Amino acid sequence: MSTPFFQFDIGLDLFPMLAATLAAVGCGLLGNFLVLRKLSLMGDAISHSVLPGLVIAFLIASTRSPLVMFLGAAIAGVTTVLLVELVKKYARVEPGAAMGVVFSALFALGVLLIERAAVRHIDLDADCVLHGQLETLVWYGAPQKLSELIQFSNLSEVPRQIYVLLSMVVAAFIFVGVFFKELRIAAFDPALSTTQGFNATLLHYLLMIFVSAATVASFEAVGSILVIAMLICPAATARLMTDRLHTQIAMSVVVSIICGIGGYVAATAVPAVFGKDAVNAAGSMSVVAGLILAIAIIGAPKHGLITRIIRRKKLALRIAIDDVLATLYRAEESGQNVTIRSLKQMLIGRSVDSAIAASVRKKMLLQDQSQLSLTQSGRDTASAIVRKHRLWEYYLVENAGFAPDHVHDTAEQLEHLKTQPPAGPSTDPHGKSIP
Amino acid sequence: MPVHPTIQESSQGLATRPEHSANSPLSIHAMTVAYHRKPVLWDVDYDAPPNKLIAIVGPNGAGKSTLIKSCLGLIPRASGQVEFWGLSYKQARSRVGYVPQRESVDWDFPVSALDVVCMGRYRMIGWCKPVSKKHKEAALSCLDQVGMREFANRQISQLSGGQQQRVFLARALAQEADLYFMDEPFAGVDAATERAIVQVLRKLKENNKTVIVVHHDLQTVPDYFDEVILLNMRVVAAGEVSDVFTSENLHKTYGGRLTLLAEAAEAVARASSGNT
């Protein structure tokens, strides 16, 4: 097939793509502080409950000017946070339940208000609240060449939504930049923040006002589903990838941009593979955001599932090697011969084969057919392990009040720790010598 | 048996002490605090003497943390006044340091030990200004004092519980306050951290600071502290350890919790032998 699945068309794609990406970046940036405060659901709550605020503002002022919409949303956002606090306090329910109750009630109120408004032939639509109206941003009669695009005269062609979104993103960056230190301390330790004179509650409300503003700015273009996805996914993804807040924020912005552009392209390109028409771009972006988060959950370098599994396997192998060597050492002490078979019987549940292979590779173990013997370095390692085991047994009996016949299993676990047991005598509670 | 022992004469240790509220780093007068209309602290009166290490002890739910938090304005008071050197908390804020309970924060938060200690200096730095090199160096030297300098760039989740507590302590030092509140700094720490904390407390005292510590281990009260507040919703007794840390007062504070009392008796015995 020679036709590409996605062909960028300035008129069709420039403004929708820009709008979606700006919305993603603004929400993604602010989402960091929601994720850090474990308040992601608050983004969900606010993005739903600004709806009645918008409708009421519209009904009062009879205009959809950005300032009026912003005021309506900000008031609704703060009201949401206040109501959540009240429900939490007086209904004595968990925060999640309080948010759930508040935002579903407010959203329903918003939908009711829209229905009433629709009866009066006012242009508000509940459907576009969910999916947005990216298609309205199409630029008819756009120039086809990049050189013709970059001209001052074209500025007037830029739709209002882009300007609104751009102001929102710039404001969000300034807010996070200026109050970075304060947002960090209020998120990490609200009590200390407040006692130092940085009122954590005030900062919280300030953040919520910005989240409300970002929500309402993004609403019209991309709808609430994308807003919710962007408030959570980029920040959560970045959180998994790094342990530094600066890096996390930078990464969340990059992820947001990838979601915006990637999701927009995917909305056209992926259905085209199956010979279908393009899907809703906002929905597609949310899917991309979810996929990126899923990839991070699985593959993140330090906190990902794969790393954790590898870490666990490595630990299991280390323990198995310790056990194999220690068992051989004890057998040497009592003058027994150990075969692979008897070793496997003694160490049920350990991966004995790989432990033997690894120990042979590390030249700690000699394997002659099925006979096993320690090399000198293997013997040294093993004696250190047995020493730890027996010192722990001594410690448990002497200091922790264990009975001598109950300490083996605990010592068996403690011997694998890097922590050294306190020094002790030369024999363990069972009369065996401590190497 | 009633949950809270009835107390006729509250704060007996105070009766003999003259009041100097302008000199006292902390003076609490008739403070009552309630949660959901249920009193947690009732009519608390206390004047902290300057330059002392002061323990707050009492059973679970006695209101120890609440006492600290309501002094700092983190929990609203139903009634009563709290003054710091005769000033309101707002006026005295920069001279008061606070170490919350370790569990009160999320230790997975993406910050380093140094970042956390720097937070102690935010008040000095002020709104909207970045943390300058000068403040970072001050924070580093505070980490040094608790033996944690080499962990400065560690993410805090990679520290042990004791090390985390020491980071909190370093952060308090970074505040350069004159009065410190510490909420259970000794809870669940290893021996090395306990020694480090005691060292820091003594050094603070040497430098004319006052430290008020919520403390659980009755046995170490006489060793670590000069003063003790025995709290169970009300102040059962408060004053010098040698005066008020008696088995009678402990009995009043803890009611019939015998295992604790046995421990306490031992501590009291040591305290009185240490004072003769």
Side-chain angles (χ1 to χ4, degrees), chain A residues 32-33 35-38 88-90 92 177-199 202-203 206 239 242-246 248 302-303, chain B residues 36 72-74 89 93 96 98-100 104-112 115-116 118-131 152-158 168 171 175:
Chain A
N32 280 294
F33 294 94
V35 167
L36 283 177
R37 295 189 77 152
K38 307 204 187 298
K88 221 161 57 183
K89 194 169 165 193
Y90 290 106
R92 302 197 194 171
V178 170
F179 291 104
F180 179 75
K181 177 170 113 272
E182 287 77 12
L183 287 168
R184 177 164 67 179
I185 190 174
F188 175 63
D189 193 343
L192 182 85
S193 179
T194 303
T195 61
Q196 293 231 35
F198 306 103
N199 192 316
L202 190 80
L203 284 160
L206 207 54
R239 180 70 199 86
T242 172
D243 281 331
R244 289 278 182 263
L245 189 50
H246 285 99
Q248 178 190 320
K302 222 154 98 189
H303 305 295
Chain B
H36 298 300
L72 294 169
L74 293 170
Y89 176 65
R93 205 199 287 276
V96 182
Y98 174 44
V99 182
S104 68
V105 304
D106 169 19
W107 288 95
D108 280 332
F109 203 87
V111 285
S112 67
D115 290 333
V116 173
C118 284
M119 286 180 192
R121 302 192 69 85
Y122 280 12
R123 170 137 191 95
M124 284 172 244
I125 298 167
W127 281 92
C128 306
K129 278 183 242 159
V131 183
N153 290 317
R154 253 322 150 82
Q155 202 254 328
I156 52 173
S157 69
Q158 285 155 32
F168 256 22
R171 187 177 72 177
Q175 285 182 267

Side-chain angles (χ1 to χ4, degrees), chain A residues 191, chain B residues 35 64-75 98 183:
Chain B
Y35 277 128
K64 303 184 293 286
S65 296
T66 306
L67 180 64
I68 287 186
K69 286 182 186 161
S70 49
C71 286
L72 294 169
L74 293 170
I75 295 176
Y98 174 44
D183 202 344

Side-chain angles (χ1 to χ4, degrees), chain A residues 38-232:
Chain A
K38 307 204 187 298
L39 275 176
S40 301
L41 194 60
M42 193 57 106
D44 200 342
I46 285 183
S47 59
H48 278 90
S49 51
V50 292
L51 185 62
L54 293 182
V55 183
I56 290 169
F58 176 73
L59 290 178
I60 292 173
S62 314
T63 162
R64 275 166 69 172
S65 86
L67 191 66
V68 170
M69 292 291 107
F70 165 72
L71 278 176
I75 293 168
V78 170
T79 312
T80 308
V81 183
L82 281 171
L83 282 176
V84 168
E85 292 299 320
L86 283 177
V87 172
K88 221 161 57 183
K89 194 169 165 193
Y90 290 106
R92 302 197 194 171
V93 293
E94 47 155 336
M99 288 184 229
V101 169
V102 170
F103 85 68
S104 44
L106 286 177
F107 188 65
L109 176 68
V111 173
L112 273 178
L113 286 171
I114 286 183
E115 303 269 314
R116 296 294 304 162
V119 173
R120 289 197 263 154
H121 306 288
I122 292 166
D123 167 35
L124 272 172
D125 178 8
D127 213 34
C128 80
V129 169
L130 285 180
H131 307 296
Q133 294 175 302
L134 277 178
E135 62 279 4
T136 60
L137 298 180
V138 168
W139 182 3
Y140 296 104
Q144 289 307 306
K145 282 188 197 134
L146 211 59
S147 53
E148 292 169 38
L149 182 66
I150 307 167
Q151 279 173 3
F152 266 112
S153 59
N154 282 333
L155 277 180
S156 62
E157 297 288 337
V158 177
R160 182 179 55 88
Q161 286 97 320
I162 301 273
Y163 284 119
V164 171
L165 281 164
L166 195 62
S167 333
M168 180 272 287
V169 169
V170 170
F173 268 96
I174 291 174
F175 172 62
V176 170
V178 170
F179 291 104
F180 179 75
K181 177 170 113 272
E182 287 77 12
L183 287 168
R184 177 164 67 179
I185 190 174
F188 175 63
D189 193 343
L192 182 85
S193 179
T194 303
T195 61
Q196 293 231 35
F198 306 103
N199 192 316
T201 316
L202 190 80
L203 284 160
H204 181 56
Y205 280 107
L206 207 54
L207 177 65
M208 291 308 149
I209 288 176
F210 269 86
V211 171
S212 310
T215 303
V216 69
S218 315
F219 237 44
E220 206 178 338
V222 296
S224 63
I225 291 177
L226 183 68
V227 170
I228 297 166
M230 286 304 143
L231 280 171
I232 300 171

